[in-house]
Amino acid sequence: MSDINRRTLLRGMGAAGATLAFTGLASASDGSAQYLLRSNGNSIERRLRNTDFALRHELAEGDVAVVTGPADAADELAGVRQVSSVTRDVTVELELPEVDAEPSSTPGEDAALRGLQWDKDLMQVGDAHEVATGEGARIAIVDTGIDLDHPDLGNVNADLGRAFVANDDVPEIGPDDSGYHGTHCAGIAAATGEVGVVGMAPEAELVPIRVFPADGGATFGDILAGIDYAAEIGADAANFSLGIPGVQQPGADINKLRANVQRVFQSAVRRGTVITGSAGNDSGNLQQGGGLTLPNSVPAVITVSATSPADTLSFYSNYGTSDIEVAAPGGWYETIPRTLGETGEPGDIPFPLNGVLSTWPTTLSSSVGLAGYDFISGTSMAAPQVAGLVGLVRSLDPSLNANQVESVIKQNAEGTNGSSGTEFGAGRINALNTVESLR
């Protein structure tokens, strides 16, 4: 998962985080193996009759399917009529790093939480809300779920929420948060400001799509099912702050999944859903040698790098002209020493307040003593900034297709010349510029 634990800096690695780590090949709850396949034609379920395989998800308008069945039987599945390719699905799991640094200062109990949202100030969100607040837009968060009881997330549509989890150890919670990550991303995109913090699109509707159990891993098949469902319900934006750690090389086995990812995402975009994804936290160059990450490095995704309070690339963020569309505040500075206050400039924001403040599950403790709120940094925090901005754009002009929405956001970003900056792509997003361009 593309975020960085609020109190952790792993020196010498260039990035840290609650990342997705491979835990093995994916299996369903009954122990059967899980596969992703491409299908030339509809009715894959009918074609699986009288075989040892069962359909879990049919995605991308019938072009991709998630299927369970015997292990080591890919060849048998490939022999099913009109199946063009078969790939064994993988499971990825959250890895939380150990605490390495303590906060240098914390806000008081009576702090004005909006005043701690430096990220929204950089993007001129307050002024943008004089023009648009996201009313009428729908934003799906494909993640760990969303805290359904949070006072700043009263705009969550729990009825539309879904859980796509192969081995669900908490089925009773449905789309509620099985961790914390989805709640934090949701607040960045669309917190209402009822109590503590304000999101980019505070009057947009949020839809929680949970793809993680409380303990264990998510499968690629379920992540793709979440994106497909977001398109099915007409979400204006679908944010997934998820990604495989490291910069993958073109010949890596994991890249066999790329074609299926691309098909599902392109189908969602055709249906009008803008997909926003985090660039990853490996300080990696996604340009040299054909490096890429999944599921971010496909053309249908607005891939977002992370910036600091000083409008510099955050030290952990991946970069590369070939992949980065835009940048958005993700927290921390361009170096670890500046992040910790060991070096820096007058006016720098101290650690951990130079992270991104957002909503936090009310049942979990906060590292800074603010119940229901916490600071995290990572490209995970950058992506939902853009998802919220999609909500503002669509609230002003619902007729724009997904590609047009992306173009408007890029054209009104700032900080780069042109649209091919290595670190920021078209630039760091600016909410006020964007909404004013549509007046």
Side-chain angles (χ1 to χ4, degrees), residues 124-436:
Q124 297 182 275
V125 171
D127 292 334
H129 287 167
E130 297 296 320
V131 181
T133 55
E135 184 178 4
R138 174 175 290 168
I139 301 172
I141 305 294
V142 182
D143 212 295
T144 62
I146 299 176
D147 182 357
L148 302 181
D149 297 318
H150 198 288
D152 277 337
L153 298 174
N155 51 348
V156 171
N157 187 332
D159 292 336
L160 280 181
R162 292 290 185 275
F164 298 98
V165 185
N167 296 298
D168 198 355
D169 54 356
V170 284
E172 65 279 3
I173 73 170
D176 209 336
D177 203 331
S178 61
Y180 65 86
H181 193 267
T183 295
H184 200 272
C185 290
I188 292 169
T192 63
E194 183 70 22
V195 175
V197 296
V198 177
M200 178 70 80
E203 290 195 299
E205 178 187 73
L206 285 165
V207 178
I209 301 176
R210 181 169 64 88
V211 296
F212 277 92
D215 182 22
T219 70
F220 255 78
D222 288 339
I223 294 170
L224 296 182
I227 294 290
D228 192 81
Y229 175 71
E232 180 184 325
I233 61 173
D236 294 289
N239 184 78
F240 71 102
S241 289
L242 312 170
I244 293 172
V247 177
Q248 307 296 313
Q249 296 308 306
D253 286 344
I254 191 62
N255 293 333
K256 294 176 182 178
L257 297 171
R258 186 176 185 179
N260 291 319
V261 171
Q262 186 161 326
R263 280 197 174 199
V264 172
F265 284 12
Q266 287 178 332
S267 169
V269 168
R270 284 196 303 270
R271 287 179 277 170
T273 298
V274 180
I275 304 174
T276 54
S278 49
N281 301 324
D282 298 286
S283 303
N285 188 337
L286 299 175
Q287 186 172 2
Q288 291 183 347
L292 53 93
T293 65
L294 283 178
N296 317 49
S297 293
V298 295
V301 180
I302 299 180
T303 303
V304 188
S305 61
T307 61
S308 77
D311 259 345
T312 54
L313 187 73
S314 301
F315 72 86
Y316 50 81
S317 181
N318 287 347
Y319 57 94
T321 304
S322 58
D323 267 49
I324 305 301
E325 269 70 51
V326 292
W332 294 354
Y333 286 97
E334 71 278 3
T335 66
I336 293 174
R338 187 174 184 182
T339 297
L340 293 175
E342 298 168 357
T343 63
E345 302 291 335
D348 276 1
I349 301 173
F351 179 81
L353 309 189
N354 48 30
V356 175
L357 178 65
S358 186
T359 47
W360 191 254
T362 52
T363 56
L364 298 181
S365 61
S366 165
S367 69
V368 291
L370 293 173
Y373 306 92
D374 216 333
F375 292 86
I376 308 180
S377 292
T379 56
S380 277
M381 286 59 256
Q385 310 271 21
V386 182
L389 187 53
V390 172
L392 296 187
V393 171
R394 277 279 173 78
S395 71
L396 290 171
D397 191 345
S399 70
L400 296 178
N401 64 35
N403 291 328
Q404 290 170 327
V405 171
E406 179 177 346
S407 294
V408 169
I409 290 173
K410 285 181 173 181
Q411 288 166 7
N412 291 285
E414 59 185 13
T416 60
N417 296 320
S419 60
S420 58
T422 301
E423 296 182 345
F424 290 9
R428 194 259 298 142
I429 62 170
N430 182 291
L432 181 59
N433 291 349
T434 302
V435 297
E436 285 193 331

Side-chain angles (χ1 to χ4, degrees), residues 82-139:
Q82 293 184 309
V83 170
S84 60
S85 71
V86 177
T87 306
R88 183 71 189 270
D89 198 1
V90 299
T91 300
V92 288
E93 184 171 304
L94 293 178
E95 278 192 342
L96 298 176
E98 296 180 359
V99 171
D100 182 75
E102 293 295 329
S104 58
S105 64
T106 60
E109 292 182 2
D110 298 325
L113 300 189
R114 175 62 185 88
L116 297 173
Q117 293 185 272
W118 59 266
D119 54 313
K120 297 301 190 283
D121 292 335
L122 275 180
M123 297 179 290
Q124 297 182 275
V125 171
D127 292 334
H129 287 167
E130 297 296 320
V131 181
T133 55
E135 184 178 4
R138 174 175 290 168
I139 301 172

